[in-house]
Coordinates of all heavy atoms in Angstrom, one line a residue:
E2 N 144.9 148.6 150.3 CA 145.7 147.8 149.4 C 145.0 146.5 149.2 O 145.2 145.5 150.1 CB 147.1 147.7 149.8 CG 147.8 149.0 149.9 CD 149.4 148.8 150.0 OE1 149.8 147.7 150.0 OE2 150.0 149.8 150.4
Y3 N 144.4 146.3 148.2 CA 143.8 145.0 147.8 C 144.3 144.5 146.5 O 143.7 143.8 145.8 CB 142.2 145.1 147.7 CG 141.5 145.1 149.0 CD1 140.9 146.3 149.4 CD2 141.3 144.0 149.7 CE1 140.2 146.3 150.6 CE2 140.8 144.0 150.9 CZ 140.1 145.1 151.4 OH 139.4 145.1 152.6
D4 N 145.7 144.6 146.3 CA 146.3 144.3 145.0 C 146.8 142.8 145.1 O 147.4 142.4 144.1 CB 147.4 145.3 144.7 CG 148.4 145.4 145.7 OD1 148.2 145.2 146.9 OD2 149.6 145.6 145.3
T5 N 146.8 142.2 146.3 CA 147.3 140.8 146.4 C 146.4 140.0 147.2 O 145.6 140.6 148.0 CB 148.8 140.8 147.0 OG1 148.6 141.3 148.4 CG2 149.8 141.7 146.2
E6 N 146.6 138.6 147.2 CA 145.7 137.8 148.1 C 146.1 138.1 149.5 O 145.2 137.8 150.4 CB 146.0 136.2 147.6 CG 145.4 136.0 146.2 CD 144.0 136.1 146.2 OE1 143.3 135.7 147.3 OE2 143.4 136.6 145.3
R7 N 147.4 138.4 149.8 CA 147.8 138.6 151.1 C 146.9 139.7 151.9 O 146.9 139.7 153.1 CB 149.3 139.1 151.2 CG 149.9 139.1 152.5 CD 151.2 139.5 152.5 NE 151.3 140.8 153.2 CZ 152.1 141.8 153.2 NH1 153.2 141.8 152.2 NH2 152.1 142.8 153.9
A8 N 146.3 140.6 151.1 CA 145.6 141.7 151.7 C 144.3 141.2 152.4 O 143.7 141.9 153.2 CB 145.3 142.7 150.6
G9 N 143.9 140.0 152.0 CA 142.7 139.5 152.6 C 141.4 139.8 151.9 O 141.5 140.2 150.7
G10 N 140.2 139.4 152.4 CA 139.0 139.6 151.7 C 138.5 141.0 151.8 O 139.0 141.8 152.5
L11 N 137.3 141.1 151.1 CA 136.7 142.5 151.0 C 135.7 142.7 152.1 O 135.1 143.7 152.3 CB 136.1 142.7 149.6 CG 137.1 142.9 148.5 CD1 136.5 142.8 147.2 CD2 137.9 144.1 148.7
E12 N 135.5 141.6 153.0 CA 134.4 141.7 154.0 C 134.5 142.8 154.9 O 133.5 143.4 155.3 CB 134.5 140.3 154.8 CG 134.1 139.2 154.2 CD 135.2 138.6 153.3 OE1 136.4 139.0 153.5 OE2 135.0 137.5 152.6
P13 N 135.8 143.4 155.3 CA 135.7 144.6 156.2 C 135.2 145.9 155.6 O 134.8 146.7 156.4 CB 137.3 144.8 156.3 CG 137.9 143.4 156.3 CD 137.0 142.8 155.1
L14 N 135.0 145.9 154.4 CA 134.3 147.0 153.7 C 132.9 147.2 154.3 O 132.3 148.3 154.3 CB 134.3 146.9 152.3 CG 135.5 146.9 151.5 CD1 135.3 146.7 149.9 CD2 136.2 148.3 151.7
A15 N 132.3 146.1 154.8 CA 130.9 146.2 155.4 C 130.9 147.0 156.7 O 129.8 147.5 157.0 CB 130.4 144.8 155.8
S16 N 132.1 147.3 157.2 CA 132.2 148.1 158.5 C 132.1 149.6 158.1 O 131.9 150.5 159.0 CB 133.4 147.9 159.2 OG 133.5 146.5 159.6
L17 N 132.1 150.0 156.8 CA 132.1 151.5 156.5 C 130.7 152.0 156.7 O 129.8 151.4 156.1 CB 132.5 151.6 155.0 CG 132.6 153.1 154.5 CD1 133.7 153.7 155.0 CD2 132.6 153.0 153.0
P18 N 130.6 153.0 157.4 CA 129.2 153.5 157.7 C 128.5 154.1 156.4 O 129.3 154.5 155.7 CB 129.4 154.6 158.8 CG 131.0 154.6 159.2 CD 131.6 153.7 158.2
K19 N 127.3 153.9 156.4 CA 126.6 154.4 155.2 C 126.7 155.9 155.4 O 126.6 156.4 156.3 CB 125.2 153.8 155.2 CG 125.0 152.4 154.9 CD 123.7 152.0 154.6 CE 123.5 150.4 154.4 NZ 124.5 149.8 153.6
G20 N 126.7 156.6 154.1 CA 126.8 158.0 154.2 C 127.7 158.5 153.1 O 128.0 157.9 152.1
R21 N 128.5 159.5 153.6 CA 129.4 160.2 152.7 C 130.9 159.7 152.7 O 131.6 160.1 151.9 CB 129.5 161.7 153.1 CG 128.0 162.3 153.0 CD 128.1 163.8 153.1 NE 128.9 164.4 152.1 CZ 128.8 165.7 151.8 NH1 128.4 166.4 152.6 NH2 129.5 166.1 150.8
K22 N 131.2 158.8 153.7 CA 132.6 158.3 153.7 C 132.8 157.5 152.5 O 132.0 156.7 152.0 CB 132.9 157.6 155.1 CG 132.8 158.5 156.2 CD 133.2 157.8 157.4 CE 133.0 158.7 158.6 NZ 134.1 158.5 159.6
R23 N 134.1 157.5 152.0 CA 134.3 156.7 150.8 C 135.7 155.9 151.1 O 136.6 156.2 151.9 CB 134.6 157.6 149.6 CG 133.3 158.4 149.2 CD 133.5 159.1 148.1 NE 133.9 158.2 146.9 CZ 133.6 158.5 145.7 NH1 132.9 159.5 145.3 NH2 133.8 157.6 144.7
V24 N 135.8 154.8 150.3 CA 137.1 154.0 150.4 C 137.5 154.0 149.0 O 136.8 153.7 147.9 CB 136.7 152.5 150.9 CG1 137.8 151.6 150.8 CG2 136.2 152.7 152.3
M25 N 138.8 153.9 148.8 CA 139.5 153.7 147.7 C 140.2 152.3 147.7 O 141.4 152.2 148.2 CB 140.5 154.7 147.4 CG 140.1 156.1 147.4 SD 138.9 156.5 146.1 CE 138.3 158.2 146.5
P26 N 139.6 151.2 147.2 CA 140.2 150.1 147.3 C 141.4 149.9 146.3 O 141.2 150.1 145.1 CB 139.2 148.9 147.1 CG 138.2 149.7 146.3 CD 138.3 151.2 146.7
G27 N 142.5 149.6 146.7 CA 143.7 149.7 145.8 C 143.9 148.4 144.9 O 144.8 147.6 145.2
F28 N 142.9 148.2 144.0 CA 143.0 147.1 143.2 C 144.2 147.3 142.0 O 144.6 146.3 141.6 CB 141.6 146.8 142.4 CG 140.6 146.6 143.3 CD1 139.3 147.2 143.3 CD2 140.7 145.7 144.5 CE1 138.3 146.9 143.9 CE2 139.6 145.5 145.2 CZ 138.4 146.0 145.1
I29 N 144.6 148.5 141.8 CA 145.5 148.7 140.8 C 146.9 148.9 141.6 O 147.0 149.8 142.3 CB 145.2 150.0 140.0 CG1 143.9 149.8 139.2 CG2 146.4 150.4 139.0 CD1 143.3 151.1 138.6
T30 N 147.8 148.0 141.4 CA 149.0 148.0 142.1 C 150.0 149.0 141.6 O 150.1 149.3 140.3 CB 149.7 146.6 142.3 OG1 150.8 146.6 143.1 CG2 150.1 146.1 140.9
T31 N 150.9 149.5 142.5 CA 152.0 150.3 142.0 C 153.3 149.7 142.3 O 154.3 150.3 142.2 CB 152.0 151.7 142.8 OG1 152.0 151.5 144.3 CG2 150.7 152.5 142.5
K32 N 153.2 148.4 142.7 CA 154.5 147.7 142.9 C 155.0 147.1 141.7 O 156.3 146.8 141.8 CB 154.1 146.5 143.9 CG 153.7 147.1 145.4 CD 153.3 146.0 146.3 CE 152.8 146.5 147.5 NZ 151.5 146.1 147.8
T33 N 154.3 146.9 140.8 CA 154.8 146.3 139.4 C 154.2 147.0 138.3 O 153.1 147.7 138.3 CB 154.5 144.8 139.3 OG1 153.2 144.7 138.9 CG2 154.9 144.0 140.4
G34 N 154.8 147.0 137.1 CA 154.4 147.7 135.9 C 153.3 146.8 135.1 O 152.7 147.3 134.3
K35 N 153.1 145.5 135.6 CA 152.1 144.7 135.0 C 150.7 145.4 135.1 O 150.3 145.7 136.3 CB 152.0 143.3 135.6 CG 151.1 142.3 135.0 CD 151.2 141.0 135.7 CE 150.3 139.9 135.0 NZ 148.9 140.1 135.4
L36 N 150.0 145.5 134.0 CA 148.7 146.2 134.0 C 147.5 145.2 134.3 O 147.5 144.2 133.6 CB 148.6 146.9 132.7 CG 147.5 148.0 132.6 CD1 147.9 149.1 133.4 CD2 147.4 148.5 131.1
E37 N 146.7 145.6 135.3 CA 145.6 144.8 135.4 C 144.6 144.8 134.4 O 144.5 145.9 133.8 CB 144.9 145.3 136.8 CG 145.8 145.1 138.0 CD 146.9 146.2 138.2 OE1 147.0 147.2 137.4 OE2 147.5 146.2 139.3
S38 N 143.8 143.7 134.3 CA 142.7 143.9 133.2 C 141.5 144.7 133.7 O 141.2 144.5 134.9 CB 142.4 142.6 132.7 OG 141.4 141.9 133.7
L39 N 140.8 145.4 132.9 CA 139.6 146.1 133.3 C 138.6 145.1 133.7 O 137.9 145.3 134.7 CB 139.1 147.0 132.1 CG 137.9 147.8 132.4 CD1 138.2 148.7 133.7 CD2 137.6 148.6 131.2
D40 N 138.4 143.9 133.1 CA 137.6 142.9 133.5 C 137.8 142.4 134.9 O 136.9 142.2 135.7 CB 137.6 141.6 132.6 CG 137.0 142.0 131.2 OD1 136.1 142.9 131.1 OD2 137.2 141.3 130.2
W41 N 139.0 142.2 135.2 CA 139.3 141.8 136.7 C 139.0 142.8 137.6 O 138.5 142.5 138.6 CB 141.0 141.4 136.7 CG 141.4 141.0 138.0 CD1 141.3 139.7 138.6 CD2 142.0 141.9 138.9 NE1 141.7 139.7 139.8 CE2 142.2 141.0 140.2 CE3 142.3 143.2 139.1 CZ2 142.7 141.6 141.4 CZ3 142.8 143.7 140.3 CH2 143.0 142.8 141.4
I42 N 139.3 144.1 137.3 CA 139.0 145.2 138.2 C 137.5 145.4 138.4 O 137.0 145.5 139.5 CB 139.7 146.6 137.7 CG1 141.1 146.5 137.7 CG2 139.1 147.7 138.5 CD1 141.8 147.7 137.1
R43 N 136.8 145.2 137.4 CA 135.3 145.2 137.4 C 134.8 144.2 138.3 O 133.9 144.3 139.1 CB 134.7 145.3 136.0 CG 134.9 146.4 135.2 CD 134.2 146.3 133.9 NE 132.7 146.5 134.1 CZ 131.9 147.3 133.3 NH1 132.5 147.9 132.3 NH2 130.7 147.4 133.6
A44 N 135.2 143.0 138.2 CA 134.9 141.9 139.0 C 135.2 142.2 140.5 O 134.3 141.8 141.4 CB 135.7 140.6 138.5
K45 N 136.3 142.8 140.7 CA 136.6 143.2 142.1 C 135.7 144.2 142.6 O 135.3 144.1 143.8 CB 138.1 143.8 142.2 CG 139.2 142.7 141.9 CD 139.3 141.5 142.8 CE 139.9 141.6 144.1 NZ 139.8 140.6 145.0
Y46 N 135.3 145.1 141.8 CA 134.2 146.1 142.2 C 132.8 145.5 142.5 O 132.1 145.9 143.4 CB 134.2 147.3 141.3 CG 135.3 148.3 141.7 CD1 136.4 148.4 141.0 CD2 135.0 149.4 142.6 CE1 137.3 149.3 141.3 CE2 136.0 150.2 142.9 CZ 137.2 150.2 142.3 OH 138.1 151.1 142.5
D47 N 132.6 144.4 141.7 CA 131.4 143.7 141.8 C 131.3 143.1 143.1 O 130.3 143.1 143.9 CB 131.2 142.8 140.8 CG 130.7 143.5 139.4 OD1 130.3 144.6 139.4 OD2 130.8 142.7 138.3
E48 N 132.5 142.4 143.5 CA 132.6 141.8 144.8 C 132.5 142.8 145.9 O 131.8 142.6 146.9 CB 133.9 141.0 144.7 CG 134.1 140.2 146.1 CD 135.4 139.5 146.1 OE1 136.1 139.4 145.1 OE2 135.7 139.0 147.2
A49 N 133.2 143.9 145.8 CA 133.1 144.9 146.9 C 131.8 145.4 147.1 O 131.5 145.8 148.2 CB 134.2 146.0 146.5
S50 N 131.1 145.6 146.0 CA 129.6 146.2 146.2 C 128.7 145.1 147.0 O 127.5 145.6 147.3 CB 129.2 146.5 144.9 OG 128.7 145.4 144.1
K51 N 129.1 144.1 147.2 CA 128.4 143.1 148.1 C 128.5 143.6 149.6 O 127.6 143.2 150.3 CB 128.8 141.7 148.0 CG 128.6 141.0 146.7 CD 129.3 139.7 146.6 CE 129.2 139.1 145.1 NZ 129.9 137.8 145.1
Y52 N 129.4 144.4 149.9 CA 129.6 144.8 151.2 C 129.4 146.2 151.5 O 129.3 146.7 152.6 CB 131.1 144.4 151.6 CG 131.4 142.9 151.4 CD1 132.2 142.5 150.4 CD2 130.9 142.0 152.4 CE1 132.4 141.1 150.2 CE2 131.1 140.7 152.2 CZ 131.8 140.2 151.1 OH 132.1 138.9 151.0
V53 N 129.6 147.0 150.4 CA 129.4 148.5 150.6 C 128.7 149.0 149.4 O 128.9 148.4 148.2 CB 130.7 149.1 150.9 CG1 131.7 149.0 149.7 CG2 130.6 150.6 151.3
D54 N 128.1 150.2 149.5 CA 127.5 150.9 148.3 C 128.5 151.2 147.2 O 129.6 151.9 147.7 CB 126.7 152.1 148.7 CG 125.9 152.6 147.5 OD1 126.4 153.0 146.5 OD2 124.6 152.7 147.8
I55 N 128.2 150.9 146.0 CA 129.3 151.2 145.0 C 129.6 152.6 144.9 O 130.8 153.1 144.6 CB 128.8 150.7 143.6 CG1 130.0 150.7 142.6 CG2 127.6 151.4 143.1 CD1 131.0 149.6 142.8
D56 N 128.7 153.6 145.3 CA 128.9 154.9 145.3 C 129.7 155.4 146.5 O 130.1 156.6 146.6 CB 127.6 155.6 145.2 CG 126.9 155.6 143.9 OD1 127.7 155.4 142.9 OD2 125.7 155.6 143.8
Q57 N 130.1 154.5 147.5 CA 131.0 154.8 148.6 C 132.3 154.4 148.2 O 133.3 154.4 149.0 CB 130.5 154.3 149.8 CG 129.4 155.1 150.4 CD 129.0 154.5 151.8 OE1 128.2 153.7 152.0 NE2 129.7 155.1 152.8
L58 N 132.6 153.7 146.9 CA 133.9 153.3 146.6 C 134.4 154.2 145.4 O 133.7 155.0 144.7 CB 133.8 151.9 145.8 CG 133.3 150.9 146.8 CD1 133.1 149.6 146.1 CD2 134.3 150.6 148.0
G59 N 135.6 154.4 145.5 CA 136.3 155.2 144.4 C 137.5 154.4 143.8 O 137.7 153.2 144.2
V60 N 138.2 155.0 142.9 CA 139.2 154.3 142.3 C 140.6 155.1 142.3 O 140.6 156.3 142.1 CB 138.9 153.8 140.9 CG1 138.7 155.0 139.9 CG2 140.0 153.0 140.2
A61 N 141.7 154.3 142.7 CA 143.1 155.1 142.7 C 144.1 154.1 142.8 O 143.7 152.8 143.4 CB 143.1 155.9 144.1
P62 N 145.2 154.3 142.3 CA 146.3 153.2 142.5 C 146.6 153.0 144.0 O 146.6 154.0 144.7 CB 147.5 153.7 141.6 CG 147.0 154.9 141.0 CD 145.7 155.3 141.6
Q63 N 146.9 151.9 144.4 CA 147.2 151.8 145.9 C 148.6 152.4 146.2 O 149.4 152.4 145.4 CB 147.1 150.3 146.3 CG 148.0 149.4 145.6 CD 149.4 149.2 146.1 OE1 149.8 150.0 147.0 NE2 150.2 148.4 145.6
C64 N 148.6 153.0 147.2 CA 149.9 153.6 147.8 C 150.5 154.8 146.9 O 151.6 155.1 147.0 CB 150.8 152.5 148.0 SG 152.4 152.9 148.8
G65 N 149.6 155.3 146.0 CA 150.3 156.2 145.0 C 151.3 155.6 144.4 O 151.4 154.4 144.0
F66 N 152.4 156.4 143.9 CA 153.6 155.7 143.3 C 154.8 156.0 144.2 O 155.9 155.9 143.7 CB 153.8 156.4 141.9 CG 152.8 155.9 140.9 CD1 151.8 156.8 140.5 CD2 152.7 154.5 140.4 CE1 150.8 156.4 139.6 CE2 151.8 154.2 139.5 CZ 150.7 155.1 139.1
A67 N 154.5 156.2 145.5 CA 155.6 156.5 146.4 C 156.4 155.4 146.5 O 157.7 155.3 146.9 CB 155.1 156.9 147.7
S68 N 155.9 154.1 146.2 CA 156.7 152.8 146.7 C 157.8 152.7 145.5 O 158.7 151.9 145.7 CB 155.7 151.6 146.5 OG 155.1 151.5 145.3
T69 N 157.9 153.5 144.6 CA 159.0 153.4 143.7 C 160.3 153.9 144.3 O 161.4 153.6 143.9 CB 158.7 154.3 142.4 OG1 158.6 155.6 142.6 CG2 157.6 153.7 141.7
E70 N 160.3 154.6 145.4 CA 161.3 155.2 146.1 C 162.1 154.0 146.9 O 163.3 154.3 147.1 CB 160.9 156.3 147.0 CG 160.4 157.5 146.4 CD 161.4 158.2 145.4 OE1 162.6 158.3 145.9 OE2 161.1 158.6 144.3
H71 N 161.4 153.0 147.0 CA 162.0 151.8 147.8 C 162.4 150.6 147.1 O 162.5 149.5 147.5 CB 161.2 151.4 149.0 CG 160.9 152.7 149.9 ND1 161.9 153.1 150.8 CD2 159.8 153.4 150.1 CE1 161.4 154.1 151.5 NE2 160.1 154.4 151.1
G72 N 162.5 150.7 145.7 CA 163.0 149.8 145.0 C 161.9 149.0 144.0 O 162.4 148.0 143.4
N73 N 160.7 149.4 144.0 CA 159.8 148.8 143.2 C 160.1 149.1 141.7 O 160.2 150.3 141.5 CB 158.4 149.0 143.6 CG 157.8 148.3 144.9 OD1 158.5 147.4 145.3 ND2 157.0 149.0 145.6
E74 N 160.0 148.2 140.9 CA 160.5 148.4 139.5 C 159.2 148.8 138.8 O 158.5 147.9 138.2 CB 161.2 147.2 138.9 CG 162.6 147.1 139.6 CD 163.3 146.0 138.9 OE1 163.1 145.7 137.8 OE2 164.2 145.5 139.5
I75 N 158.9 150.1 138.6 CA 157.8 150.6 137.8 C 158.3 151.8 137.1 O 158.8 152.8 137.6 CB 156.5 150.8 138.6 CG1 155.4 151.2 137.7 CG2 156.8 151.6 139.8 CD1 154.0 151.1 138.4
T76 N 158.3 151.8 135.7 CA 158.8 152.9 135.0 C 157.7 154.0 134.9 O 156.5 153.9 135.3 CB 159.0 152.5 133.6 OG1 157.8 152.1 132.9 CG2 160.0 151.3 133.6
E77 N 158.2 155.2 134.5 CA 157.2 156.3 134.2 C 156.1 155.9 133.2 O 155.0 156.3 133.5 CB 158.0 157.4 133.6 CG 157.8 158.9 134.4 CD 158.6 160.0 133.9 OE1 159.8 160.1 134.3 OE2 158.0 160.7 133.2
D78 N 156.5 155.2 132.1 CA 155.4 154.8 131.2 C 154.4 153.7 131.9 O 153.1 153.9 131.6 CB 156.0 154.0 130.0 CG 156.7 155.0 129.0 OD1 156.3 156.2 129.1 OD2 157.6 154.7 128.2
D79 N 154.9 152.9 132.8 CA 154.0 152.1 133.5 C 153.0 152.9 134.3 O 151.8 152.7 134.4 CB 154.8 151.0 134.4 CG 155.6 150.1 133.7 OD1 155.4 149.7 132.5 OD2 156.7 149.6 134.3
Q80 N 153.6 153.9 134.9 CA 152.8 154.8 135.9 C 151.6 155.4 134.9 O 150.5 155.5 135.4 CB 153.6 155.8 136.6 CG 154.5 155.2 137.6 CD 155.4 156.1 138.2 OE1 155.1 157.3 138.6 NE2 156.6 155.8 138.5
K81 N 152.1 155.9 133.8 CA 151.1 156.6 133.0 C 149.9 155.7 132.6 O 148.7 156.0 132.5 CB 151.7 157.2 131.7 CG 152.5 158.4 132.0 CD 153.1 158.9 130.5 CE 154.1 160.0 130.8 NZ 154.6 160.4 129.6
R82 N 150.3 154.3 132.2 CA 149.3 153.3 132.0 C 148.4 153.0 133.0 O 147.2 152.9 132.8 CB 150.0 152.1 131.3 CG 150.8 152.3 130.0 CD 151.3 150.9 129.4 NE 152.2 150.3 130.3 CZ 152.0 149.0 130.7 NH1 151.1 148.3 130.3 NH2 152.8 148.5 131.6
K83 N 149.0 153.0 134.2 CA 148.2 152.8 135.4 C 147.2 154.0 135.6 O 146.0 153.6 135.9 CB 149.0 152.6 136.7 CG 150.1 151.4 136.6 CD 149.5 150.1 137.1 CE 150.5 149.0 137.1 NZ 149.8 147.9 137.7
L84 N 147.6 155.1 135.5 CA 146.7 156.2 135.7 C 145.6 156.3 134.6 O 144.5 156.6 134.8 CB 147.5 157.6 135.7 CG 148.5 157.8 136.9 CD1 149.2 159.0 136.8 CD2 147.6 157.8 138.1
E85 N 146.0 155.9 133.4 CA 145.0 155.8 132.3 C 144.0 154.8 132.5 O 142.7 154.7 132.3 CB 145.6 155.5 131.0 CG 146.4 156.6 130.4 CD 147.4 156.2 129.1 OE1 147.5 155.0 128.9 OE2 147.9 157.1 128.7
L86 N 144.5 153.5 133.3 CA 143.5 152.5 133.7 C 142.5 153.1 134.8 O 141.4 152.7 134.9 CB 144.3 151.3 134.2 CG 143.6 150.1 134.6 CD1 142.6 149.6 133.5 CD2 144.5 149.0 135.1
V87 N 143.1 153.9 135.7 CA 142.2 154.6 136.7 C 141.0 155.2 136.0 O 139.8 155.0 136.4 CB 143.0 155.5 137.6 CG1 142.0 156.3 138.4 CG2 144.0 154.7 138.4
V88 N 141.3 156.0 134.9 CA 140.2 156.8 134.3 C 139.3 155.8 133.7 O 138.1 155.9 133.7 CB 140.8 157.8 133.3 CG1 139.9 158.4 132.4 CG2 141.7 158.9 134.0

Side-chain angles (χ1 to χ4, degrees):
E2 294 188 14
Y3 281 111
D4 61 328
T5 66
E6 291 298 318
R7 190 184 116 208
L11 296 168
E12 295 84 2
L14 293 174
S16 298
L17 184 69
K19 294 196 182 308
R21 300 186 68 174
K22 293 185 184 223
R23 296 185 62 149
V24 170
M25 307 296 173
F28 298 136
I29 300 172
T30 188
T31 57
K32 295 178 182 121
T33 71
K35 183 177 183 277
L36 199 61
E37 296 80 357
S38 76
L39 185 55
D40 287 340
W41 179 84
I42 295 171
R43 286 180 79 135
K45 295 301 279 183
Y46 275 95
D47 286 345
E48 182 183 348
S50 69
K51 293 176 186 173
Y52 303 104
V53 65
D54 187 299
I55 193 75
D56 289 328
Q57 284 187 267
L58 297 172
V60 59
Q63 57 88 351
C64 193
F66 291 105
S68 59
T69 62
E70 294 298 318
H71 300 289
N73 290 336
E74 293 185 20
I75 182 168
T76 68
E77 232 178 278
D78 285 339
D79 293 334
Q80 292 176 37
K81 284 180 187 178
R82 291 183 311 119
K83 297 277 185 171
L84 292 173
E85 288 168 353
L86 182 58
V87 166
V88 173

